[in-house]
Amino acid sequence: MTQVKSPVILPKEDTALIQRAYRNLLKCMPMPLNAEDQHNIRAAFELAAKAHQEQRRKSGEPYILHPIEVARICVDEIGLGPTAVVCALLHDVVEDTDVSLKQIHDQFGKPVALIVDGLTKLDSLHDSESPQAENLTKVLRTMLSDVRVVLIKMADRLHNLRTIKSMPPHKQLKIAAETSTIYAPLAHRLGLYKIKTEFQDICLKITHPEDYHEIAEKLAQTKRAREQYIEAFKRPLQRALKKQLGCTIRIIGRPKSIYSIWSKIRTKQVDFEDIYDLFAIRIILEVSADREKVACWQVYAVVTDFYKPIPERLKDWITNPKANGYESLHTSVIGPQGRFVEVQIRSVRMDEIAERGFAAHWKYKGVRGIGHRANVFENWLNQVRDTLENVGSGSPVEFLADFQSNLFSEEVHVFTPKGEMKILPEGATALDFAFSIHSDVGTTCRAVRINNRVERISYKLQNGDQIQVITDKNQHPSTDWLQYVVTAKAKNRIRSALKEEKRRLAALGREILERKLQNLHKCPVEENADMLAHWFGFPNRLEFLSAIALEQVDLSGLKSFRADGTRLVEVEGEKAPPPSAEESRPADTSPAPKPLKQPGKADVFINGEPGSYYAYSFATCCNPVQGDPIFAYVGAKEGVKIHRTTCPNAAFLLANYEYRVLKAEWGAMVKADFVATILVTGIDDGPGVIQQITDKISSMGINIRSFSISGEGGYFEGRISLVVGNTDQLNQAIRALKNFKFVASVSRME
Ligand code: MN
């Protein structure tokens, strides 16, 4: 049996190793350092070296090499300054050695002590078995005291991951899990893209080693071909860019990370060979801050002169930077051999932020952004603060989910009616938007107009949407609202509004019950409420009392009791089954769907059920045609009507009777005739006009139900009612009429 021992390094070699690492760290620091910083860094190094003297890492190296390397990462890869270096050097001292926090406070001052304290607390979370939600809250809370805590922690984690090989496999898996749920998303959110990518790659290597090596191998095999392609792509651009811009430009081909290739293979179910965008072309300009936006667009113009762009892929993160400070102009073009190539255009400054995070540029270098960029990071920290303040209202699982969807997700940029931009997490709805304006706007939100169209409050926001919230002071949040929102703010406000509402109802219900109990049994509520709640089938007293207020409880059941002192006792033999809350709910609040026809092929689905269940008809105010966006409205007298979402009445119906509105969708194509009226205007240049229009429409196989025309002075206005099968056919007719020279406009009438 042979035992593998970790190599023992001789003290002399140790010293040389340590000195070399330390000198290397100093070399990375932006020079010149002032005397105080120089002194502090030296002192921190000496204190840490002495404190860790006896310790070795799992790999056998002297322990002090770890804090030195963490400090180097802070400077080199995150762009932090001298204070962070001091803290990084000291980051494991309090946790692992005899040095106390007070000692650090006395020698290095309060800011350093605060950061080291934060790092020590974060460290204690390593081995703890506490749930992830708790860990995450801890990380975020410390981050709020000073962002550097988390940034140094990132460097610490990065070095530990880079050297993870010496850890036992089960520890590796645990660290990988924690890294991918907490640190990788956090790195993303802090804009530390390079570090995030490395986190993900190392985690993948731990959790899926075979996949990792297979992709790495294939990337290596295709490297030459890729480089040749990038060269071919660059060649025509270089001269033109130089001529047009007159500044230094670097064009690089950047391969996608192994993790991102892997997740694409997974989610898109494709082979490595089928992924066309294994790399992106990055064009980096050396240009002054005031010219960078113009210059980037100039580059865009040159690139698209040579390669055809795909307009949908154009993303302008320069005009609207991401909330983590990321700025860049992205597009995809069709490159040589007809392949899609992603192109990223940015200045050196933007590239720096993209690689090392906004933090580097934020407070500590004294560099301020321009205009709205200035507080891009602060905004996010406020959001974190806001979310943390509301912790405790939900379960830890809810909290983790809220966080992931809010603070870690991509975002959408939308606008208020006044053109003010709001940034919300991807997947946010119109209701989230309402809450982001003000909680009162959220809780009283009745309906919304998106780009002037009435939409449901659960509408998922798209980039560029303009949103107008219609409020009504009589509106109250309901439990379904929780499903319509993703932001933590909206969720918390809805939950607390619901609780408040329930408490208000419960107080009312209590009064009602009190009166009944006094009249019937002369006994108090307090002693009997829990028992009665249980007897009537409610989970607790709050639910029971509020249901009473909503008249959802048949209190005649109280007759099955007699009073025994202050307590009620059930009378034996008289027990009738307690009425369930469902059955006694008043019928008029939600119309019960009655099957009227046999379900078969439905042309419309209402609330996911065949429309025939509802005996619906089409509203004559807007005449929906198959293909139009629609909703169903449960009328008081006329039954269920299908309206178009653009119907002029829709806004009023949605605003005043939202509870009567049901979701409606078109079913599979079923032959049906719809009437749609179009308005045609134009120049009346003779008696042939009507003839030509009707001939055209008839030739398309469309019947005309009515045609009225009026006009004067050579101008005509015609109203034509057409019988069409669907919106496609209608739009064909509209396009065809527009082609007539004498026609000025054709539009569908609302
Ligand atoms: Mn450490």
Side-chain angles (χ1 to χ4, degrees), residues 593-599 610-616 640:
K594 282 186 199 113
L596 293 168
K597 290 179 205 161
Q598 279 305 307
S612 54
Y613 285 0
Y614 290 82
Y616 70 91
V640 179

Side-chain angles (χ1 to χ4, degrees), residues 332-350:
S332 287
V333 299
I334 299 168
Q337 299 154 30
R339 282 167 62 184
F340 287 41
V341 179
E342 186 188 329
V343 183
Q344 308 170 343
I345 305 165
R346 53 174 79 152
S347 69
V348 173
R349 183 190 63 83
M350 296 172 189

Side-chain angles (χ1 to χ4, degrees), residues 299-356:
V299 171
Y300 175 83
V302 172
V303 171
T304 51
D305 272 350
F306 288 94
Y307 302 114
K308 197 172 149 45
I310 300 152
E312 305 87 70
R313 298 291 205 93
L314 178 64
K315 284 202 181 105
D316 177 7
W317 303 115
I318 295 180
T319 311
N320 293 320
K322 291 192 185 182
N324 60 20
Y326 181 85
E327 294 171 68
S328 196
L329 188 60
H330 287 195
T331 187
S332 287
V333 299
I334 299 168
Q337 299 154 30
R339 282 167 62 184
F340 287 41
V341 179
E342 186 188 329
V343 183
Q344 308 170 343
I345 305 165
R346 53 174 79 152
S347 69
V348 173
R349 183 190 63 83
M350 296 172 189
D351 190 51
E352 168 110 326
I353 291 174
E355 292 283 297
R356 308 209 294 181

Side-chain angles (χ1 to χ4, degrees), residues 77 191-194 250-252 254 281-287 292 296 318 325-330 344-358 360-361:
E77 301 182 38
L192 305 165
Y193 288 111
K194 227 177 143 187
R250 260 192 315 140
I251 307 179
I252 50 174
R254 208 191 53 104
I281 296 276
R282 189 175 292 167
I283 304 177
I284 304 166
L285 320 168
E286 248 173 64
V287 63
E292 55 188 4
C296 287
I318 295 180
Y326 181 85
E327 294 171 68
S328 196
L329 188 60
H330 287 195
Q344 308 170 343
I345 305 165
R346 53 174 79 152
S347 69
V348 173
R349 183 190 63 83
M350 296 172 189
D351 190 51
E352 168 110 326
I353 291 174
E355 292 283 297
R356 308 209 294 181
F358 199 73
H361 273 260

Side-chain angles (χ1 to χ4, degrees), residues 63 66 91-92 156 160:
Y63 194 86
H66 166 65
H91 84 269
D92 278 334
D156 182 31
N160 286 336

